[in-house]
Amino acid sequence: MRRFPGPLIRAVTYTRWLHLLCAAAFAFVCAAVFPGLSSPTVRDWLLVYVVPVPFLLLFALVPVARRAEGLQARLMLFPGGHARVAGDGSESGVSVAPSVSWRDRARTAVWLVLRLFLGLSTALATGQLMALVLELVSAAAGRPVGSLSLLPVPDAGAVCALLVPAPVLALLYLVAGVGWVLARVAPLLLGPSAAERLAALEERTEQLLERNRIARELHDSIGHALTVTVVQAGAARAAGDPAFTERALDAIEETGRAALEDLERVLLVLREAEQPAGSRPTLQEADRLLDSARASGAMVEVAVDGPLETVPGPVSREGYRILQEALTNVLRHCGPVPVTVALHVADRHLVLEVRNPLPAGGRASAGGGTGSGLRGVRERAALLGGRARTGPLGDQWQVHVELPVV
């Protein structure tokens, strides 16, 4: 029984009804001028259907017509706040972008003509059925009019009173059915074009890339800071030397301050603040990373070949993060071990290589954890058109990255 009155108690049924009647209003305006409706014939009603069509076809050529129809369809044909159902119509598959191609204009024209025909038919049916309701009410009150006055029924008034709900229900279910059809056709005629779908896909891809970039930034920066802090705190406790403890606290303070700056920059990006988020560190500032690793006990040797200042900003910034992640992995999984860092700029490529001895646990220990850091290294390299290799090489663990610089 709950499904029987369903369409009658949904607000969207009545907004669809209004949407249909609005389409018929233009036809009645045209009919008031030509052919006139003083005593319409079948030919006159056919003209009422046909006369508005050329105007609608011309309107469909205007790019903004598609946007206007899309906004109306989203608001009135689909569940939303007006129907006490979650949604704003955007999930309906109806576009609100202006026409940009002749295909869009053609689909808009078909939609306008279809809406006109269905709306005008619904308006005429509404008028006829409501007139029948009034006649039944009049007959039930003892004043039969029209054809009802000729009913050969002894107690015609009682019969008419019982029949009053019939045309009302017929009208409501007719409206619900026509509205349902219109809502199903709308995504086909007003849905996004191939170009719009491609643009939406590209926008979604950009959003996912941005989210991944922010996740990598947080992982590399905060992960490095926490790793250095843990290593320094453990070393200071084990050393029992006030001088060493002082140096460890200085390193922790500096690393924490840098991590807070990185975190604030990322949060500004997430909040879409108007002020600039600040420049990200580049390979020319790699000394901070190396000093932090050395302060944590790692014996870092660096070999730089070529001018780092000529490396483009995006490549240099991503290279800094890759180096940060490589050093963080060394400290996290291997501890204070000798580390060799090589930076080579030549042949239109930046080559960054970090090597360290494998711990006793072998590969599993060196690359333990979830692997998100090494995956981030490969993602950064791939986004710049480069490549990355990570894994054991003999008795050492290697992070080898090649990035194009032109």
Side-chain angles (χ1 to χ4, degrees), residues 57-314:
L57 296 179
L58 289 175
F59 179 59
L61 298 179
V62 182
V64 76
R66 185 162 173 260
R67 168 174 285 178
E69 291 299 315
L71 289 172
Q72 292 181 66
R74 280 191 179 186
L75 176 63
M76 305 182 75
L77 294 183
F78 299 96
H82 62 282
R84 298 185 296 278
V85 179
D88 59 0
S90 58
E91 68 277 6
S92 63
V94 172
S95 173
V96 294
S99 300
V100 295
S101 66
W102 287 107
R103 179 180 175 83
D104 290 342
R105 294 179 175 89
R107 290 197 300 158
T108 304
V110 173
W111 166 260
L112 288 171
V113 174
L114 176 65
R115 184 184 168 198
L116 168 71
F117 288 171
L118 292 179
L120 184 55
S121 300
T122 302
L124 294 178
T126 299
Q128 293 298 315
L129 290 174
M130 291 306 298
L132 178 57
V133 169
L134 294 177
E135 291 182 4
L136 289 173
V137 171
S138 178
R143 295 187 296 274
V145 295
S147 59
L148 295 180
S149 60
L150 304 177
L151 284 176
V153 180
D155 193 2
V159 174
C160 290
L162 294 175
L163 292 177
V164 167
V168 175
L169 291 175
L171 174 60
L172 293 179
Y173 276 100
L174 173 66
V175 169
V178 176
W180 181 88
V181 171
L182 200 63
R184 293 302 175 274
V185 175
L188 300 178
L189 298 178
L190 296 179
S193 62
E196 291 172 339
R197 287 194 294 270
L198 179 60
L201 179 60
E202 290 177 348
E203 181 180 359
R204 176 60 176 165
T205 302
E206 288 296 326
Q207 292 175 350
L208 291 177
L209 289 175
E210 181 66 14
R211 288 173 56 185
N212 288 337
R213 186 186 71 80
I214 292 174
R216 288 194 300 269
E217 289 287 315
L218 289 174
H219 176 275
D220 294 348
S221 178
I222 306 303
H224 174 78
L226 291 176
T227 299
V228 170
T229 300
V230 170
V231 171
Q232 290 282 4
R237 176 181 295 168
D241 181 359
F244 183 86
T245 301
E246 183 69 21
R247 291 195 300 273
L249 290 175
D250 289 340
I252 290 173
E253 180 183 5
E254 182 181 353
T255 303
R257 186 179 295 111
L260 286 175
E261 292 175 358
D262 289 340
L263 180 61
E264 181 65 20
R265 185 182 63 253
V266 173
L267 292 178
L268 286 174
V269 173
L270 289 174
R271 294 170 186 153
E272 297 181 350
E274 296 181 0
Q275 62 268 34
S279 59
R280 294 162 55 200
T282 64
L283 283 175
Q284 297 183 58
E285 305 170 61
D287 288 343
R288 185 176 69 178
L289 280 179
L290 302 174
D291 292 341
S292 177
R294 292 189 182 106
S296 299
M299 294 161 281
V300 183
E301 294 184 4
V302 183
V304 179
D305 181 15
L308 288 178
E309 64 274 8
T310 62
V311 178

Side-chain angles (χ1 to χ4, degrees), residues 321-342:
R321 291 306 187 193
I322 291 172
L323 177 59
Q324 185 180 53
E325 177 57 32
L327 293 175
T328 301
N329 278 340
V330 173
L331 295 173
R332 180 180 298 158
H333 303 300
C334 301
V337 298
V339 182
T340 301
V341 177

